[in-house]
Amino acid sequence: MRWIVPIVVLMSALPTAQQAPSTFEVVSIKPNVASDPRLGFRTTSGGRVEMTGVTIGTLVTVAFERFPFDDVEVINPPDWVGRDRYDIVVQPADPSASANIPALVHALLIERFSVVAHWEKRERDVYALVLAHPDRPLGPGLKRTEAGCEGTAAVTGGGPSSVRGGRGPTCTMGGVPGDLLGSAVTVEMFGRSIGQRELHRRVIDRTGITGSFDIDLHYRPDLGGGRPGGPPPAPPDPDAPSIFTAIEEQLGLKLVSDHAPVDVLVIDRIERPAPN
């Protein structure tokens, strides 16, 4: 089972040129020309960060994430930002800087890619997540728990997260297509997660529900072509409900189509790096 651990920074702690590390002892950027590139991202004990087969678009979304499962829509990027893949190795001058991956990547984008960007509001089609039946209890797949990360910031590889038996660390969403498990997450985090991985549309939480929950959701996934570089997806359960039906029957929530202003990240400047 693969768990998705959010890389998180609070809105008040967004990486800036002043907060982010300003120098690197080593920066290596090489084009990845593998016919079947494997995406990898790891940090060594000495603070060295190795990124394999990444697009710069991926790094932009990591650098500008503001909260768990933030669905960063990037406006105005050149085509190569989402197409070309690179193998990147960085060694910050201060090894402890690798504990804050968003700030580290933000500094790298400024130093080697000359990134300048700003936030704007744009109207978008969204889903509103609401209570399916305000006069009834929540569904059996939504179980309140005292464990959780509400009001705190999880950090990649640590923070308040702790392993909870077979459910994985707190503040995470995991599972396989068709079986989604949340471990001590908020309803807002759940909505943002399914918006990213299943619906491909922003989900805005309007349930008014606070606190943390363990979530179990079984549904018929839209597998598409599967994950690039990964194994072919298993055939879906033909008797499983759609994700819309599953959310209503199993969680007691409902997705409603809506239109709303959302934050988007506009790229003002970005330069292709010189390989080294």
Side-chain angles (χ1 to χ4, degrees), residues 8 15 23 39-40 71 80 104 119 133 135 189 204 219 229 231 258 273:
V8 184
T23 58
L39 179 64
D71 191 2
W80 62 267
L104 184 84
W119 292 99
H133 306 285
D135 57 338
M189 288 169 64
I204 299 175
Y219 59 96
D258 203 349

Side-chain angles (χ1 to χ4, degrees), residues 37-55:
R38 303 291 172 140
L39 179 64
F41 204 110
R42 75 186 189 98
T43 303
T44 69
S45 58
R48 179 185 178 100
V49 180
E50 300 174 356
M51 298 164 261
T52 305
V54 296
T55 67

Side-chain angles (χ1 to χ4, degrees), residues 186-205:
T186 65
V187 170
E188 184 179 20
M189 288 169 64
F190 163 74
R192 289 197 295 259
S193 175
I194 61 171
Q196 282 186 0
R197 62 188 284 169
E198 291 294 339
L199 302 172
H200 311 297
R201 185 186 294 191
R202 300 281 184 94
V203 174
I204 299 175
D205 176 28

Side-chain angles (χ1 to χ4, degrees), residues 142-231:
L142 198 60
K143 299 176 182 178
R144 191 175 292 276
T145 176
E146 293 301 318
C149 57
E150 187 177 42
T152 66
V155 198
T156 216
S161 298
S162 59
V163 176
R164 304 173 60 234
R167 295 206 68 89
T170 58
C171 316
T172 62
M173 301 291 299
V176 296
D179 286 291
L180 183 62
L181 301 178
S183 179
V185 296
T186 65
V187 170
E188 184 179 20
M189 288 169 64
F190 163 74
R192 289 197 295 259
S193 175
I194 61 171
Q196 282 186 0
R197 62 188 284 169
E198 291 294 339
L199 302 172
H200 311 297
R201 185 186 294 191
R202 300 281 184 94
V203 174
I204 299 175
D205 176 28
R206 292 181 182 156
T207 63
I209 299 174
T210 59
S212 298
F213 296 83
D214 288 338
I215 298 175
D216 292 83
L217 188 69
H218 178 66
Y219 59 96
R220 185 177 63 255
D222 178 11
L223 295 175
R227 182 171 59 87

